[in-house]
Amino acid sequence: ITNLDNDEYDYVKVVREIQILHKLSEIPLNNYTTKLLDVFRTSCKEEFGVFIVMELLDTDLLSFMTGKSNLNF
């Protein structure tokens, strides 16, 4: 996520989304959202950026929704 320093509204939306995902990641046995593992920002002062580290999943959302994945719950 880059160029957030140019628009405060977008920055607030991104921070809110990260906070929500963080709270959802803390719920035990939550199989409905990917887990947020880490969030860090770039150290470059010229361009602000945020990196979001999430868990690796065995399939993508489209495959899961169309029944083409082998995931069982």
Side-chain angles (χ1 to χ4, degrees):
I1 303 169
T2 58
N3 297 328
L4 291 176
D5 56 345
N6 296 336
D7 189 356
E8 184 178 344
Y9 179 71
D10 285 342
Y11 178 81
V12 170
K13 287 193 313 185
V14 168
V15 170
R16 184 181 311 122
E17 294 280 335
I18 292 171
Q19 289 172 336
I20 292 169
L21 188 56
H22 175 70
K23 291 292 185 187
L24 290 172
S25 296
E26 293 178 335
I27 298 172
L29 302 174
N30 179 9
N31 294 327
Y32 303 105
T33 59
T34 59
K35 304 290 185 272
L36 177 66
L37 301 177
D38 198 3
V39 177
F40 55 96
R41 66 177 192 92
T42 59
S43 58
C44 179
K45 293 182 180 180
E46 289 81 27
E47 185 173 343
F48 179 80
V50 175
F51 291 89
I52 300 173
V53 181
M54 301 174 79
E55 70 178 330
L56 180 64
L57 298 178
D58 295 331
T59 189
D60 61 284
L61 182 60
L62 179 61
S63 296
F64 179 74
M65 297 296 288
T66 58
K68 296 178 182 176
S69 70
N70 294 327
L71 292 178
N72 296 318
F73 288 96

